[in-house]
Amino acid sequence: GAVVSQHPSRVICKSGTSVKIECRSLDFQATTMFWYRQFPKQSLMLMATSNEGSKATYEQGVEKDKFLINHASLTLSTLTVTSAHPEDSSFYICSASQGGLREGYTFGSGTRLTVV
Amino acid sequence: QKEVEQDPGPLSVPEGAIVSLNCTYSNSAFQYFMWYRQYSRKGPELLMYTYSSGNKEDGRFTAQVDKSSKYISLFIRDSQPSDSATYLCALASGGSYIPTFGRGTSLIVHP
């Protein structure tokens, strides 16, 4: 089945620094990937839709200058949290679909970001 | 009112019990209904997919959709400790195809 690899799984960084999270589709090409944020016991909140070769589409309320998304190839999308602050601490998950809703969106294992 | 409402639980049941998990929604445009299972510190994985009203069965799992009531359910028969996880409902419309997730229900099946 489709596999999405996400790295790192856990990262601790100092306030003010930037963190890059990678999302790779290992055995399929993904023209579109999605980035979510999940707080404890809360729903997955879609942050942005990452489109290969073009600008990402951000959801309302998500700062595009803070959460930089790059989708340079059909198998790799990156999310960079710039000038991270403690309130950015969360669980970030990417996903991609090989065949649409019926086959399901394949999710990465997520990245636990802690900003200290 | 949120588009998708789901009780976060936790729901604790003994092994072998029948589990009922539910979501309600307000957007009548939703046509695609899914259930995802998420283990701790992992990404969600697709469990069930249904389109339109009715029932769909897959092993111990049954998904039920009632579009007239805007209510969807997931039933788990003969629950096992390995079923302990968070179950998220996800709904999508034909116009978007990007699912909207419920907040998830934490299920604990104890031996």
Side-chain angles (χ1 to χ4, degrees):
Chain A
V3 177
V4 172
S5 175
Q6 186 174 343
H7 293 281
S9 59
R10 185 174 300 203
V11 59
I12 300 173
C13 70
K14 291 184 178 181
S15 186
T17 61
S18 296
V19 174
K20 180 185 283 187
I21 302 170
E22 290 190 350
C23 181
R24 294 180 183 272
S25 55
L26 294 186
D27 47 4
F28 67 102
Q29 294 182 332
T31 55
T32 303
M33 291 186 175
F34 304 92
W35 287 96
Y36 293 86
R37 184 173 180 175
Q38 187 177 35
F39 291 104
K41 298 186 178 181
Q42 296 295 318
S43 177
L44 289 166
M45 298 301 299
L46 180 65
M47 298 175 65
T49 302
S50 171
N51 304 297
E52 187 270 334
S54 64
K55 292 183 178 180
T57 304
Y58 290 83
E59 295 299 301
Q60 189 175 9
V62 178
E63 298 177 61
K64 62 180 181 181
D65 294 330
K66 181 167 186 62
F67 299 99
L68 300 178
I69 291 172
N70 184 283
H71 195 155
S73 76
L74 288 171
T75 60
L76 174 64
S77 176
T78 61
L79 168 69
T80 302
V81 183
T82 63
S83 187
H85 290 284
E87 57 265 31
D88 297 325
S89 299
S90 189
F91 193 56
Y92 294 87
I93 312 177
C94 67
S95 76
S97 176
Q98 187 176 15
L101 294 171
R102 183 180 294 275
E103 285 72 30
Y105 285 78
T106 302
F107 287 82
S109 294
T111 298
R112 171 73 58 191
L113 171 63
T114 303
V115 184
V116 297
Chain B
Q1 183 186 11
K2 291 183 178 179
E3 276 197 302
V4 180
E5 298 278 1
Q6 185 176 11
D7 187 332
L11 176 63
S12 183
V13 301
E15 183 175 355
I18 297 174
V19 175
S20 173
L21 304 165
N22 312 291
C23 285
T24 58
Y25 62 96
S26 57
N27 188 350
S28 58
F30 287 137
Q31 302 176 51
Y32 304 92
F33 308 92
M34 296 143 285
W35 286 94
Y36 280 79
R37 178 175 60 195
Q38 185 178 21
Y39 291 110
S40 181
R41 298 186 180 87
K42 297 292 184 183
E45 56 181 340
L46 181 67
L47 204 57
M48 297 285 282
Y49 164 92
T50 55
Y51 172 69
S52 76
S53 289
N55 292 357
K56 181 176 181 180
E57 188 174 319
D58 184 1
R60 297 185 293 113
F61 300 90
T62 299
Q64 192 172 80
V65 175
D66 183 348
K67 292 182 72 175
S68 62
S69 302
K70 297 188 178 66
Y71 189 88
I72 65 173
S73 301
L74 177 70
F75 298 96
I76 307 174
R77 291 184 299 279
D78 188 24
S79 55
Q80 304 294 310
S82 59
D83 294 328
S84 298
T86 295
Y87 291 80
L88 302 98
C89 61
L91 296 81
S93 67
S96 170
Y97 297 108
I98 298 175
T100 299
F101 287 87
R103 62 190 296 182
T105 299
S106 176
L107 171 66
I108 302 168
V109 182
H110 51 86

